[in-house]
């Protein structure tokens, strides 16, 4: 399983857009995909809910729960976890992802 975190300190730089497109592309290729949204703005869910067709799984969570999420996703046969992150990620996030 691969974990891909999209990180940029700048707001509006395209993190959520890139997360969605990478996840949807992987899903369209047949991969088992989960998006972990650790941004309190929860923008990923807004976009995913607007779609009609099947897509990646979504977990709206916190940085502190990322480790457990990744272990669970791997155990359940996930191919990718994409992590959408807030602006100005703090040290906890970098540690969790590293
Ligand atoms: N590659 C791109 N080219 C042009 N506009 C983009 C691109 N990526 C994102 N956007 C637009 O920029 C805005 C902010 O993008 P968003 O993904 O929400 O950024 P972030 O999650 O980093 O705050 C949105 O309106 C989005 O549609
Ligand atoms: Mg965003």
């Amino acid at each position: 399983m691969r974990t891909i975190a999209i990180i940029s300190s700048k707001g509006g730089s395209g993190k959520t857009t890139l997360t969605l497109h990478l996840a949807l592309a992987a899903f369209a290729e047949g991969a088992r995909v989960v998006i972990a949204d650790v941004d309190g703005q929860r923008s990923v869910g807004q976009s995913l809910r607007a779609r009609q067709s099947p897509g990646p799984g979504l977990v709206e969570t916190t940085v502190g729960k990322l480790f457990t999420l990744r272990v669970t996703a791997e155990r359940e046969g996930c191919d990718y976890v994409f992590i959408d992150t807030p602006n100005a990620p703090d040290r906890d996030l970098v540690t969790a992802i590293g």
Side-chain angles (χ1 to χ4, degrees):
M1 188 186 81
R2 296 191 71 182
T3 301
I4 299 175
I6 291 75
I7 301 175
S8 164
S9 55
K10 188 167 164 42
S13 56
K15 295 180 293 296
T16 299
T17 306
L18 188 58
T19 303
L20 276 163
H21 283 80
L22 290 173
L24 284 163
F27 181 83
E29 291 286 315
R32 299 184 68 174
V33 182
V34 169
I35 300 174
D37 186 3
V38 298
D39 183 351
Q41 295 188 35
R42 306 299 189 210
S43 314
V44 175
Q46 289 172 22
S47 296
L48 279 185
R49 279 189 290 275
R51 302 180 71 251
Q52 305 295 324
S53 40
L58 171 65
V59 182
E60 294 177 330
T61 188
T62 56
V63 169
K65 293 179 179 162
L66 275 178
F67 180 79
T68 306
L69 183 149
R70 288 165 69 191
V71 169
T72 305
E74 180 143 40
R75 192 186 301 137
E76 293 184 359
C78 239
D79 300 305
Y80 290 99
V81 174
F82 292 96
I83 305 175
D84 189 24
T85 65
N87 307 326
D90 60 19
R91 189 174 292 273
D92 286 350
L93 176 64
V94 176
T95 304
I97 288 166

